[in-house]
Amino acid sequence: MMIFLKSTVFNLCFFGVTAIACILCLPGLLLPKKQAMCLVYAFVGWVYFFERTILGLNYEVKGIENIPTSGSFVVATKHQSAYETLT
């Protein structure tokens, strides 16, 4: 029962903030890229906040020390779950 409640609260918060973000991002299309990206980062920040507080989720980045500090490179990831689409 608790899982269902957490999931329902998260979904209400997620879809609510998504609706707000859609409305705010429409005028954001007219902003310069740097300012428009602030809206995107705010949306992602809110979703991550909901994930941490409501669902108790977190993530860990492994292997970042292997990314070159200069030059070009390709990052190929192995997706583990649908959770990655939200982080």
Side-chain angles (χ1 to χ4, degrees), residues 23-42:
I23 293 167
L24 292 177
C25 285
L26 281 176
L29 293 172
L30 302 174
L31 295 173
K33 184 177 179 179
K34 189 172 186 176
Q35 284 80 16
M37 288 305 294
C38 287
L39 294 172
V40 174
Y41 290 135

Side-chain angles (χ1 to χ4, degrees), residues 3 10 12 14-15 19-22 26-28 39 52-53 63 75 82 85:
I3 293 172
F10 173 78
L12 289 172
F14 174 75
F15 288 116
I20 292 168
C22 288
L26 281 176
L39 294 172
R52 280 189 331 238
T53 57
V75 177
T85 60

